[in-house]
Amino acid sequence: VLLLALTVVSGLAAATGLPRKPSIVHTPQVEHPAAGDAPGYRAELADIAERYTSLYYNADLRGALAEARHGLALAEKAANARDEAQFLKSVAYVSWLLGDAAGALEAAQRLLDLANPLDVDRLRSHAHRNLGTANRQLGDSAKDTANTEAALAFATRAGDDGLRYGALNNLGNIALARGDFARARQIHTEVLAYRERAGDPWDVAGSITNLADVAFAERKFAEALVLQERALRLRQEIGDQRGVVRSLRQVASALRALGRTDEALVRLDEALAGAAKITGHELLRD
């Protein structure tokens, strides 16, 4: 059943190479025109958001970050706090992906400082989730847990299932890091089921990878390999270049653990070649 669902989802995505609806986790949501907008402001902001989305999904994270900062500067000049919040969300997320935990932390805190007076629980959830991932990158597991639980609480209060399962996904990663494999497996199985229903193949591939990580930690290397190869195929079908590089590396890890070193080296060479073509020094480092 899982394989059939993945086949259907990946088939839907293959036509465009992008999810049918870009993730709100990091994509700026440019709202409708507001009173006081300068002529052309809203259209320019929407163009920036569109360029950001295209660059992000084509694996140009540095280009995406530049567009996010461009949109943020424009919103700051207009003194539009809601628009600032949307682009801060993107700055925080992409900074984290690029390994800039300090930059991600600063942007996420600025987002929270805007979200509180705006009294928007969705923005609070975004801010706390970004704060959590940045603190995880900095090695502060206590702050990571506290922020992620806050993100879950605000997403639940907002009635936003997408944000709620996103926060749960991060709690699954926290459980895995703590060595609570049963809890991590339960959470990631639940999140995968939701993401399959939602129909976003990018997130589906991520959840499959998370379950593979749990299996690997449990030393169930054969299961981990099957799952990582499934995630790899899906990412190749939807054109997720960064995801393909990560999956190739993770497939190599599973092959190595199974004693299939020659095959692992082949996959690592493929991963290195892919990482060299796209932005993101952390991919080469890994």
Side-chain angles (χ1 to χ4, degrees):
V1 174
L2 174 61
L3 183 58
L4 176 60
L6 289 176
T7 301
V8 171
V9 168
S10 63
L12 288 170
T16 62
L18 297 175
R20 288 172 293 171
K21 184 178 181 182
S23 173
I24 62 168
V25 169
H26 60 83
T27 306
Q29 306 297 298
V30 177
E31 299 177 350
H32 296 296
D37 278 356
Y41 164 75
R42 188 65 47 185
E44 185 177 0
L45 210 63
D47 286 344
I48 294 170
E50 185 176 347
R51 289 197 299 271
Y52 164 89
T53 302
S54 178
L55 289 163
Y56 174 87
Y57 282 108
N58 283 287
D60 185 352
L61 293 191
R62 290 190 179 91
L65 182 58
E67 290 296 344
R69 287 173 172 163
H70 183 191
L72 175 60
L74 197 65
E76 288 173 336
K77 185 177 179 180
N80 189 311
R82 289 182 180 272
D83 291 335
E84 288 179 52
Q86 289 297 325
F87 284 93
L88 278 168
K89 179 178 68 176
S90 302
V91 170
Y93 184 80
V94 178
S95 294
W96 166 67
L97 284 178
L98 286 169
D100 180 10
L105 200 64
E106 179 187 3
Q109 186 59 57
R110 286 180 62 191
L111 173 57
L112 184 60
D113 291 343
L114 287 175
N116 283 328
L118 288 171
D119 195 23
V120 179
D121 285 337
R122 284 183 174 84
L123 289 177
R124 289 188 180 108
S125 183
H126 285 301
H128 279 289
R129 186 175 175 187
N130 280 319
L131 285 168
T133 53
N135 278 306
R136 183 188 318 157
Q137 205 165 51
L138 292 168
D140 194 330
S141 58
K143 286 184 179 178
D144 178 15
T145 301
N147 283 127
T148 306
E149 288 176 345
L152 177 61
F154 282 120
T156 301
R157 197 164 81 175
D160 190 316
D161 280 346
L163 289 182
R164 186 166 69 85
Y165 279 100
L168 277 172
N169 177 78
N170 288 20
L171 286 175
N173 291 334
I174 290 170
L176 176 59
R178 287 177 174 171
D180 188 349
F181 304 146
R183 176 64 173 157
R185 183 179 285 272
Q186 180 267 319
I187 290 175
H188 285 310
T189 299
E190 180 182 345
V191 174
L192 173 59
Y194 167 79
R195 287 175 167 179
E196 287 179 322
R197 294 193 301 271
D200 186 338
W202 294 71
D203 282 346
V204 168
S207 283
I208 295 170
T209 293
N210 288 337
L211 283 169
D213 289 341
V214 175
F216 192 94
E218 293 173 323
R219 303 187 65 80
K220 298 176 181 177
F221 302 129
E223 178 187 349
L225 178 60
V226 169
L227 289 167
Q228 295 291 14
E229 287 180 332
R230 184 179 294 167
L232 173 60
R233 288 193 300 271
L234 182 53
R235 283 167 165 163
Q236 287 170 331
E237 289 172 5
I238 63 178
D240 180 2
Q241 299 174 63
R242 292 176 56 80
V244 166
V245 171
R246 291 194 180 281
S247 286
L248 284 168
R249 179 177 60 81
Q250 290 162 320
V251 166
S253 295
L255 287 167
R256 181 188 181 198
L258 289 166
R260 295 161 61 179
T261 311
D262 290 344
E263 295 173 73
L265 284 169
V266 170
R267 289 306 201 181
L268 279 176
D269 283 339
E270 293 174 10
L272 280 168
K277 295 176 183 177
I278 59 179
T279 63
H281 60 274
E282 83 288 354
L283 291 175
L284 285 168
R285 176 202 64 206
D286 292 345

